[in-house]
Amino acid sequence: MRITCVGGGPAGLYFAVLAKLADPARSVTVLERNPPGVTYGWGVVFWDDLLDDLFAYDPVSARRIWEAACQWDEYEVRATGKDVTYLAGYGFSLGRHRLLAILSERAEELGVDVRYSEPVSHPVRHRHAPTPPTLPHSDISDLPGGRARNAELADADLIVACDGAGSQLRNADAAHFGTEISTGANKYIWLGTPHVFRTFTFGFEKTHAGWIWYHAYPFDDETSTFIVECTPAVWSALELDRLDAAAGCARLESIFAAHLDGQPLINRSSGWLNFRRVTNQRWDNGNVVLMGDAAHTTHFAIGSGTKLAMQDAMELADSLTTGGPLAPALERYEHRRRAALAPLQRAARASSEWFERMPEYADLPSIRFSYALSDRRGEYPLWRYLLHVSTQRSVPRAMLRSALNARRRNRARRRPAAEPRIPQLTGG
């Protein structure tokens, strides 16, 4: 089987790793449009459930990810005019550059051909699937660099489209996939800062124009992710719609000065965005299958994008283990991932809608406000509120953190560290 992954993000690289683990003789290529080391975003977050899965599938890359990640053991909530409060929980964070470096290194160790500066931006005729008559067709030779540059697409038995929410391969056949994109109301921007936050922090500031807030977390010893979000009305009133990148960062540094300890904000993104919810009625077309953000997106407020992309890769690898035709395997992958995604997608929608209504909660007392933030999915029983109230005091809070960290250590000890789980891929 010849496999080509279009997109060198976590989904594409990790699936390439699993494909090579399945059979080192397979030909596996990853085409990434950006040069090496160029990626969108700052840090990513994940939890023990993803680590458990990573160790089950490939302990080598899992251990490297685990050892490189920062660990935090609670959430901190700050808001203008309110006491600082805390939410129970723990997780991991890692620079996106570092994660991709780990995965690309692992893939290349296994013999994956990882190619950078390889754009795929034209419609491609998919093997085993007719070209929809309403869409223009370009041969592989029409791509930048000609046939030699992207011959892997023409010759591939399986093409994995994991090139992000704006996937070119998916968009070329959007009518077939039934692609639907809805846009969230709030504006947000993905920034970084050399101020290293102690733990995952939500900070809310009330300005003359209204409320604006950030989601921040450390991902190495020198840098934190700093995502700023607000309603469109506040965004316009603060003139953030008219300021260039430098002036916009300066305005935000002034607003969040009490949180940044004199450190700057750094903008390496494309600017302010509205979150795009991507769904598809179908995930495959002939020998082309969607993965990660190309197939689905979940709002950043629940921090599950990387986790879901890598779990897509695991499920696709598993679905190709039984042998036989490719089509049933791709259908099996889609069915299982849709079922697994459904509760998280509901949670992500509830979470994003809570932030769109955030000003409605702003007048709550500090403890009730932070609990409303914690319970924005509306799932918690009464005892969670009682626990939240009691653990705002230092001694019960320290006891809870100690208990959670003990659970984290016990869970880590149960992870396999020996031979990787090796699925056998379909095809010859």
Side-chain angles (χ1 to χ4, degrees), residues 154-239:
D155 298 334
D157 298 299
L158 175 64
I159 299 172
V160 184
C162 42
D163 48 341
S167 171
Q168 294 291 331
L169 287 186
R170 183 202 65 217
N171 290 346
D173 285 330
H176 170 86
F177 290 114
T179 304
E180 296 180 359
I181 301 176
S182 60
T183 303
N186 281 357
K187 308 295 292 189
Y188 76 97
I189 188 168
W190 199 292
L191 305 173
T193 178
H195 174 65
V196 179
F197 284 82
R198 184 190 64 81
T199 191
F200 196 112
T201 304
F202 294 100
F204 299 81
E205 281 291 328
K206 188 175 184 180
T207 70
H208 71 278
W211 287 90
I212 185 169
W213 56 92
Y214 65 83
H215 316 234
Y217 51 88
F219 62 82
D220 60 30
D221 293 336
E222 300 177 347
T223 325
S224 298
T225 295
F226 196 90
I227 306 171
V228 179
E229 185 179 7
C230 61
T231 65
V234 170
W235 179 66
S236 297
L238 292 175
E239 300 183 338

Side-chain angles (χ1 to χ4, degrees), residues 46-53 90 92 408 411 415:
F46 55 95
W47 288 267
D48 273 324
D49 58 344
L50 178 62
L51 269 180
D52 291 345
D53 289 343
Y90 60 85
F92 304 86
R408 168 189 266 171
R411 190 165 182 171
R415 292 185 183 121

Side-chain angles (χ1 to χ4, degrees), residues 288-335:
V288 177
V289 64
L290 305 180
M291 180 184 289
D293 283 353
H296 52 80
T297 60
T298 54
H299 194 266
F300 57 84
I302 67 167
S304 293
T306 298
K307 163 189 164 178
L308 296 178
M310 297 181 78
Q311 288 176 335
D312 282 357
M314 297 170 194
E315 186 56 59
L316 181 58
D318 280 348
S319 295
L320 294 168
T321 62
T322 58
L326 181 63
L330 299 185
E331 291 176 5
R332 185 162 53 247
Y333 153 72
E334 177 182 345
H335 174 75

